[in-house]
Amino acid sequence: MSSAQIAARAIKSLEREDIRVLEAIEKSIPSFRSIPMPRIEKVAKLHPDEVKFRLGRLNKMGFVVRDRFGYVLLSAGLDLLALNHFANKNLVQGMGTSIGMGKESDVFEVVNDSGERAVLKFYRIGRTSFRSTRRSRSYVDAASQHQWLTINVRAAAKEEEGLKRASKAGVNVPSFIARNRHAVLMSEIDGTMLYKCSKEDIDQPEQLLSEIIENMRKSYIEGRIVNGDLSEYNVLYDGTRSWIIDWPQFVTINHRNALEMLRRDVENITSFFRKKFQIHIEEDEALAYITGKKEGKMKES
Ligand SMILES: Nc1ncnc2c1ncn2[C@@H]1O[C@H](COP(=O)(O)OP(=O)(O)OP(=O)(O)O)[C@@H](O)[C@H]1O
Ligand SMILES: [Mg+2]
């Protein structure tokens, strides 16, 4: 079971005091390596016995761990705080199946109070390094654990910004619904990742390729951003349209690596269509079109 699923299961059995203790630890992250009990008591405004009891429970459930100096918030604890936020806002009522578990994120289908489905993406950067630290030593490196949590919150904030900018520019992206901490809630695309689509799934590959290029152009010219991780792994195809997902690494077009990143995005997409559908287009020409140096429709070469 993933940490988000552990959190989703536990959420109903948790009490206000548990959340207060977790929030007190979270708030203290910038000022301490691991958070001493007296600090938690002070921030949570709870009696020491109460805090001790809550920490014991939270520790057993896998939301915090103890080191020599105090308490460390684990990824599942941050998941819990995010889920609790979405539940209070009636945005997420239930967690469904996992639809993507990778190096950097866990993605779930969720439903809200009205039964509407959405997608919740939790950032997990550093998960593998954290696991190996845990295996090789008996204690948790609080500073680096907390640093990873912060990095994940930043990545989610960046994805929020990327989704909003791309959407405003008219790029086909999932609609941003909300973000809390390291978790991004967005509309669910009922599609298949491009790399998984067989030739039979795509009737008009030329049209699909030009739609993707058109979206890259909108992103560049209107949104003034470059996705930077575009490939057949980050495009979903719903049978009619394509959708570009996964924006945390976007850069603005003024970034010193923007063109290099755009070139790589173009290469990934064109080489996928070349290998799978034998559609050849000139990368330089595509690049010129996307950046607005060349007008008119893209042609096959
Ligand atoms: N809005 C969405 N609608 C439907 N499926 C989605 C959506 N967002 C993400 N997914 C699914 O979750 C998978 C992972 O999402 P995404 O590419 O955003 O994360 P990632 O950080 O690349 O994860 P990984 O580390 O696995 O590559 C996608 O390939 C897709 O199958
Ligand atoms: Mg991806």
Side-chain angles (χ1 to χ4, degrees):
M1 213 175 2
S2 81
S3 66
Q5 281 163 320
I6 295 171
R9 275 203 191 172
I11 208 161
K12 289 193 181 73
S13 65
L14 287 182
E15 287 153 341
R16 240 189 23 232
E17 290 77 6
D18 296 308
I19 300 291
R20 261 167 70 180
V21 165
L22 280 178
E23 282 175 345
I25 296 177
E26 184 194 33
K27 273 196 201 123
S28 309
I29 284 175
S31 331
F32 295 86
R33 275 176 76 89
S34 61
I35 325 301
M37 283 251 281
R39 166 76 180 201
I40 303 172
E41 290 154 15
K42 193 170 154 208
V43 177
K45 297 193 179 73
L46 290 171
H47 189 275
D49 292 343
E50 180 76 45
V51 170
K52 201 168 164 202
F53 168 68
R54 298 294 161 186
L55 285 169
R57 259 161 73 80
L58 293 166
N59 178 247
K60 252 197 219 118
M61 290 191 271
F63 299 126
V64 299
V65 283
R66 227 182 121 159
D67 73 358
R68 276 187 300 149
F69 308 104
Y71 283 82
V72 180
L73 185 62
L74 294 177
S75 185
L78 199 67
D79 293 355
L80 188 74
L81 290 175
L83 277 174
N84 183 58
H85 169 93
F86 289 131
N88 289 340
K89 297 243 176 248
N90 295 325
L91 288 169
V92 175
Q93 191 252 333
M95 283 250 296
T97 49
S98 157
I99 53 173
M101 190 184 280
K103 268 194 334 289
E104 308 218 315
S105 73
D106 285 343
V107 182
F108 295 91
E109 201 175 76
V110 293
V111 285
N112 67 12
D113 288 3
S114 326
E116 292 155 351
R117 277 159 38 168
V119 158
L120 186 56
K121 177 174 178 179
F122 292 92
Y123 272 87
R124 299 277 185 245
I125 303 166
R127 164 165 55 192
T128 44
S129 59
F130 176 55
R131 270 194 192 144
S132 55
T133 332
R134 274 229 285 199
R135 233 178 283 126
S136 60
R137 295 186 229 153
S138 55
Y139 63 90
V140 171
D141 177 355
S144 67
Q145 162 61 11
H146 285 159
Q147 212 173 346
W148 285 122
L149 297 183
T150 311
I151 287 170
N152 282 304
V153 172
R154 261 190 235 132
K158 187 87 186 298
E159 171 129 51
E160 169 180 358
E161 193 191 340
L163 283 173
K164 285 178 173 170
R165 282 181 80 144
S167 158
K168 202 166 162 217
V171 182
N172 260 358
V173 292
S175 316
F176 172 82
I177 301 170
R179 175 183 69 87
N180 186 260
R181 300 176 166 89
H182 63 320
V184 179
L185 186 66
M186 62 186 123
S187 68
E188 181 173 32
I189 307 300
D190 189 10
T192 310
M193 277 193 282
L194 203 51
Y195 87 94
K196 280 193 189 160
C197 291
S198 67
K199 276 189 154 179
E200 291 70 47
D201 295 329
I202 300 175
D203 289 339
Q204 293 175 298
E206 290 85 0
Q207 201 183 311
L208 181 59
L209 172 59
S210 63
E211 185 191 277
I212 295 170
I213 289 182
E214 216 46 59
N215 274 298
M216 293 172 81
R217 181 177 155 99
K218 281 184 192 158
S219 163
Y220 192 92
I221 293 177
E222 310 290 334
R224 302 179 70 75
I225 57 174
V226 171
N227 175 289
D229 191 26
L230 194 56
S231 73
E232 62 274 31
Y233 296 93
N234 281 331
V235 176
L236 290 168
Y237 178 62
D238 68 7
T240 322
R241 300 169 80 187
S242 61
W243 301 82
I244 302 180
I245 60 165
D246 210 0
W247 289 83
Q249 64 295 311
F250 87 82
V251 293
T252 61
I253 62 172
N254 305 321
H255 188 279
R256 61 190 144 79
N257 300 124
L259 269 184
E260 199 184 305
M261 289 167 82
L262 181 62
R263 182 176 283 278
R264 208 178 48 206
D265 286 356
V266 170
E267 275 168 15
N268 289 340
I269 295 296
T270 54
S271 81
F272 172 77
F273 279 89
R274 190 169 54 244
K275 286 180 194 144
K276 193 141 194 176
F277 298 102
Q278 290 72 50
I279 300 172
H280 295 263
I281 60 165
E282 283 294 332
E283 277 159 19
D284 284 338
E285 210 177 309
L287 207 59
Y289 178 68
I290 290 165
T291 53
K293 297 206 172 66
K294 180 176 166 283
E295 295 302 320
K297 285 261 169 242
M298 283 294 307
K299 290 192 311 289
E300 267 187 68
S301 61

